[in-house]
Amino acid sequence: MSEKAIALVTGANKGIGYEIAAGLGARGLSVGVGARDRRRREDAVAKLRAAGADAFGVPLDVTDGGSVTAAVRLIEERTGRLDVLVNNAGAAGGWPEEPTTMDLETVRRLVETNVIGVIRVTNAMLPLLRRSEHPRIVNQSSHVGSLTLQTAPGVDLGGTSGAYAPTKTYLNAVTIQYAKELSGTGILINNACPGYVATDLNGSRGTRTPEQGAAIAIRLATLPDDGPTGQLFDDDGVVPW
C-alpha cells in the first residue's frame, strides 16, 4: 500500500491489546487505541508515541452502540477508511466456573462483550474496511473455545469454564459465518489464540507475556492477500475448531 495502513485495536490500553497496537505500530501502521477508560487510553497513546508509533486514541465501549457509532465517525473523519480491525476487547468470569452454579448475569455480560460486542464493532466498521485494498479482521479467541481440544483426552485447559470458554466457542462459530459471507471480497477474517498469557483477566497467573500473546494477532493482521481466512490460529499454526 502506497500510504500508511490504518488499524483499530479494541481493548488496546493494556495487556495483549496494547502489545498488538505496539507491534502494528512498529510495522508502520497508524494505530487507533480503542478503550473505554480515558486516562488509560491517553496513557497508552502517549507510551506508543514515545516508542515511535503513529497512535491515536479512540473512545470505545464495545457494549455501547452509541460509542461504536462515534468511533466509526472518528476514524472516518481522520482517515476515511480502515485496513485492520483487531477485536481484542474481552471479559472473563470466574475460573473454574461450574455451569450448574454460575451466575446468569455473568453469562449475559460475557456474551455481550465477547460475542455481541465483536459483531457490533465488526458490522459498524465494515463500510470502512471495504474501502481498504487489503482489509483484515482478527478476533481474539482462545484455545478454551476449541471443542476439539475441550473434548480431547489428556488435554488440560485449566478446568471447567461454564461461561467464558463457551463465549469463545460462539465467537469461533460466528467468525466462520463471516468468512463465508465475506468470501471473495478480499476481507480476510481469522481468530487468534494468544495462549495462557499473564493478564488482568486471569489475575496475572498466565505463563506467557503479553508481547508473546500478541504475536499471532499481529501476524494475522498483516497477512498477504493470498493468506488464509475463516480459521483459528496460534503460534504453531491452525488450531482445530
Side-chain angles (χ1 to χ4, degrees), residues 67-144:
S67 173
V68 174
T69 297
V72 172
R73 186 162 53 247
L74 185 154
I75 294 172
E76 181 161 26
E77 291 173 354
R78 181 184 178 92
T79 68
R81 73 172 198 286
L82 185 64
D83 301 290
V84 173
L85 170 63
V86 182
N87 288 304
N88 169 77
W95 201 292
E97 188 169 47
E98 305 296 338
T100 55
T101 57
M102 64 186 178
D103 176 46
L104 293 183
E105 287 307 314
T106 297
V107 177
R108 290 189 181 95
R109 177 174 61 86
L110 297 192
V111 171
E112 179 64 41
T113 302
N114 297 348
V115 182
I116 297 173
V118 172
I119 296 171
R120 179 181 289 115
V121 173
T122 299
N123 289 353
M125 295 293 170
L126 267 173
L128 295 178
L129 286 161
R130 292 184 188 278
R131 298 175 189 172
S132 170
E133 295 181 9
H134 311 280
R136 306 289 180 262
I137 303 172
V138 182
N139 297 328
Q140 196 70 281
S141 186
S142 170
H143 291 99
V144 301

Side-chain angles (χ1 to χ4, degrees), residues 23-56:
L24 293 176
R27 285 160 177 76
L29 282 75
S30 178
V31 183
V33 176
R36 294 179 298 178
D37 187 280
R38 181 183 61 81
R39 182 183 60 80
R40 289 181 175 179
R41 182 177 63 248
E42 291 176 352
D43 287 349
V45 169
K47 185 177 177 183
L48 288 166
R49 288 177 176 172
D54 179 5
F56 60 97

